[in-house]
Amino acid sequence: MTAELSTRVMKADMAGTTAAVRCLAAGGLVAFPTETVYGLGADAGNGEAVARLYAAKGRPQFNPLIVHVAGIEHARALGRFDANAEKLAAALWPGPLTLVLPKQAQCAVSDLALAGLDSVAARVPAHPVARELLKTFGKAIVAPSANRSGHVSPTGAAHVLADLRGRIDMVIDGGACPVGVESTIVACLGEPTLLRPGGVAREEIERVLGHPLADVSMSETAPLAPGMLASHYAPRTKLRLDAEKPLEGEALLAFGPSLPAQSAHATLNLSPRGDLIEAAANLFSHLRALDALGAQSIAVMKVPIDGLGEAINDRLARAAAPKS
Ligand code: TXA
Ligand code: MG
């Protein structure tokens, strides 16, 4: 059991950054906004802080963590970039893309954070608050999504507090996350492989590479991204996907301008104008809000699969999977 902490909520200003840096340097846990979702940060080189981070999240096993840095120069000290990794970083960093790279021998990240792997997942976030924090701290910050293990990712400070108040030292409130789904993860350990669809659409990555990405199927028994186990993103309420209309007692997660004639217990629309970027930004907050109603189940309308639709459908499929 972790002892109860008083979780400080700070504004995203200079005082907030200064307090966060002090806290991280002392081995503390700080949740901060990125353009994708809120991350729960710890000093990547401090094994004890990383252990407290896993405990705060209640992670059943030690999944490897994404290492956040301020720029590609710093990322080069963590992992080795081949020609494809160079292209992707040049075109898409800072931004919602994580690259899994062969670990450098002198990589200054605790083994616990890497779960003993010889690869490292590196990301340069674009959110101004995350960038300011990374620049001021000057060292790498490991940050999984700032939710209890198994819950949906937080896209606002209130979501972080609902899950982690009393378990972490501080949260910087930078408002809602503009992208709303986690970063796309691409392994550059040979042929570039999509490990997790996310905030950068597959089409954009393939355009930069000039060829299609290889895929890791969700059914692999030893997935390359262990956090991608099927039921990872589960709300408590059951989800019914590709629903045409809500059934008696169901809440409705809608998409697009044409709603079913039957009215639901409660309806939230991911994007009334059918825009996938807007839908991604609303996905986790709408899931949380509908989950809180305690409806019998949540009917989810079909969402197209192109662009950010791939990441949205991936998260919905995981949220709907039976809990392991
Ligand atoms: O948008 C994001 O990526 C957010 C923000 C906070 O940056 N972070 C995030 O972290 O989603 P997390 O811990 O919830 O997901 C990290 C994923 C997990 O599926 C983990 O297994 C995978 O990254 N991962 C980390 N290191 C890896 C490695 N060396 N090889 C393969 N997968 C790795
Ligand atoms: Mg997560």
Side-chain angles (χ1 to χ4, degrees):
M1 247 333 274
T2 352
E4 180 86 359
L5 301 167
S6 78
T7 303
R8 268 196 300 167
V9 182
M10 298 281 295
K11 282 207 263 254
D13 55 12
M14 217 156 75
T17 304
T18 307
V21 163
R22 238 184 246 139
C23 183
L24 289 170
L29 304 178
V30 176
F32 62 96
T34 81
E35 70 276 29
T36 57
V37 301
Y38 274 71
L40 178 57
D43 177 352
N46 182 337
E48 235 172 85
V50 174
R52 292 184 52 222
L53 191 158
Y54 286 116
K57 278 195 58 112
R59 278 218 165 164
Q61 72 276 83
F62 295 148
N63 284 330
L65 303 177
I66 295 177
V67 186
H68 298 68
V69 289
I72 187 165
E73 304 72 32
H74 194 161
R76 285 188 213 289
L78 305 174
R80 290 192 299 280
F81 286 70
D82 63 11
N84 288 315
E86 288 288 352
K87 270 197 220 171
L88 290 174
L92 298 168
W93 275 358
L97 172 72
T98 295
L99 296 175
V100 174
L101 307 164
K103 191 177 98 166
Q104 295 280 20
Q106 78 279 16
C107 173
V109 175
S110 90
D111 280 333
L112 182 57
L114 302 183
L117 297 173
D118 51 13
S119 59
V120 58
R123 160 153 141 78
V124 178
H127 195 290
V129 174
R131 292 183 63 72
E132 191 58 32
L133 179 63
L134 285 162
K135 272 205 303 217
T136 313
F137 186 51
K139 295 196 283 181
I141 298 176
V142 285
S145 48
N147 52 280
R148 289 291 287 269
S149 185
H151 290 190
V152 296
S153 292
T155 53
H159 304 158
V160 176
L161 289 167
D163 268 24
L164 297 174
R165 192 192 279 281
R167 304 175 70 90
I168 64 175
D169 297 287
M170 175 176 166
V171 53
I172 305 179
D173 186 351
C177 301
V179 175
V181 290
E182 300 88 343
S183 61
T184 303
I185 306 182
V186 174
C188 292
L189 303 168
E191 198 189 339
T193 303
L194 184 67
L195 299 186
R196 175 175 77 180
V200 186
R202 167 201 292 272
E203 294 89 329
E204 197 171 349
I205 292 170
E206 295 181 339
R207 189 180 49 72
V208 171
L209 290 172
H211 60 82
L213 280 163
D215 275 287
V216 173
S217 113
M218 233 170 100
S219 62
E220 298 246 322
T221 43
L224 263 167
M228 296 309 292
L229 295 172
S231 74
H232 194 62
Y233 292 88
R236 291 166 201 84
T237 314
K238 260 199 328 216
L239 257 60
R240 190 167 65 81
L241 299 185
D242 295 339
E244 309 221 312
K245 53 180 193 232
L247 304 174
E248 182 73 35
E250 274 189 331
L252 178 68
L253 185 62
F255 176 83
S258 32
L259 295 189
Q262 288 86 344
S263 69
H265 179 67
T267 299
L268 287 175
N269 198 326
L270 289 170
S271 172
R273 62 173 195 272
D275 177 61
L276 289 166
I277 294 176
E278 182 183 34
N282 286 329
L283 177 65
F284 291 133
S285 57
H286 282 11
L287 274 178
R288 274 183 188 260
L290 292 179
D291 195 21
L293 299 176
Q296 195 174 302
S297 53
I298 301 170
V300 183
M301 285 172 67
K302 210 178 187 62
V303 176
I305 192 88
D306 55 310
L308 290 196
E310 185 177 11
I312 296 170
N313 277 285
D314 171 84
R315 303 308 186 272
L316 286 171
R318 288 170 204 289
K323 301 192 175 80
S324 47

